[in-house]
Amino acid sequence: MKLEIELVPKERKHTISRLMQFYLYDFTRYLEFDVNQDGVFPAYPGLEAYWSSGNNKFAYLFKVDGHIAGFALVDRLLRNPEGQFYMTEFFVMQKYRRSGVGTWAAHKLFDMYSGEWKVSQVRANIPARDFWHKVIGDYTHGEFQERFNPQQGNPSQYFNTLTINRVKK
């Protein structure tokens, strides 16, 4: 299995926009929203900023043997006490789940952006929380903290890649 990660150029932003439909579909299990009369979920708010904000937002595709397997949106947080980087969205297509693709992609992104990270989940999305506990736990050797948003109760994991004794792959 050949794994790749690719920063998405502005000319291909439509790819992320289209994949976002599958991502939003998955979230209908946990959040209340519907498709419009044309059968399309609403546009992801702020997606355009991933190609217009300079060096603060990054959109990546994951590929397996040349086929798109998922995406991630990563934000650089400026002057934020919660960290330097935020895994804003992370999606692996059903076909590639439980194959190691998600773990590989997350670890690759953590390696690419050294510093303090925040990763959050919707409270009701227990599979995502379990996934991130395992992925971050493996990456940090269990050296992460979890806190819950006082308003929504959503969990977030916090860790610093600079304090981890990890051999870069």
Side-chain angles (χ1 to χ4, degrees):
M1 185 163 60
K2 181 183 174 200
L3 302 174
E4 301 171 77
I5 191 164
E6 167 190 325
L7 185 62
V8 179
K10 187 172 188 158
E11 305 79 57
R12 296 201 41 231
K13 65 183 179 181
H14 63 276
T15 304
I16 297 292
S17 183
R18 290 174 182 157
L19 289 170
M20 192 62 74
Q21 290 291 301
F22 298 110
Y23 180 72
L24 294 172
Y25 171 77
D26 278 0
F27 264 90
T28 61
R29 292 182 189 160
Y30 311 108
L31 298 174
E32 287 295 321
F33 53 85
D34 293 296
V35 295
N36 65 21
Q37 294 304 310
D38 293 322
V40 178
F41 287 104
Y44 182 84
L47 187 60
E48 180 62 34
Y50 285 86
W51 294 275
S52 64
S53 71
N55 285 331
N56 297 323
K57 293 180 177 283
F58 311 93
Y60 287 94
L61 285 176
F62 322 137
K63 293 184 175 182
V64 174
D65 298 327
H67 301 284
I68 294 172
F71 71 86
L73 301 180
V74 176
D75 288 11
R76 183 187 315 271
L77 303 175
L78 303 172
R79 296 176 293 284
N80 190 315
E82 295 211 307
Q84 296 169 287
F85 301 101
Y86 181 49
M87 187 72 73
T88 308
E89 308 296 348
F90 189 90
F91 173 70
V92 176
M93 294 181 64
Q94 287 283 342
K95 175 180 179 177
Y96 299 103
R97 292 181 189 171
R98 301 197 179 282
S99 70
V101 172
T103 298
W104 174 84
H107 287 189
K108 187 81 168 164
L109 289 166
F110 299 154
D111 285 347
M112 291 167 62
Y113 296 99
S114 298
E116 297 172 338
W117 275 85
K118 175 183 176 182
V119 179
S120 300
Q121 302 84 51
V122 171
R123 178 184 56 223
N125 191 345
I126 303 300
R129 186 172 176 214
D130 292 344
F131 169 80
W132 286 111
H133 275 210
K134 179 169 179 6
V135 168
I136 295 169
D138 288 349
Y139 188 87
T140 65
H141 309 290
E143 297 295 320
F144 69 92
Q145 295 180 345
E146 183 170 70
R147 296 193 296 266
F148 293 83
N149 179 292
Q151 283 81 36
Q152 294 102 3
N154 294 333
S156 295
Q157 298 78 39
Y158 298 85
F159 60 98
N160 190 335
T161 63
L162 297 174
T163 61
I164 299 164
N165 294 323
R166 179 173 163 81
V167 177
K168 302 282 184 185
K169 295 181 182 175

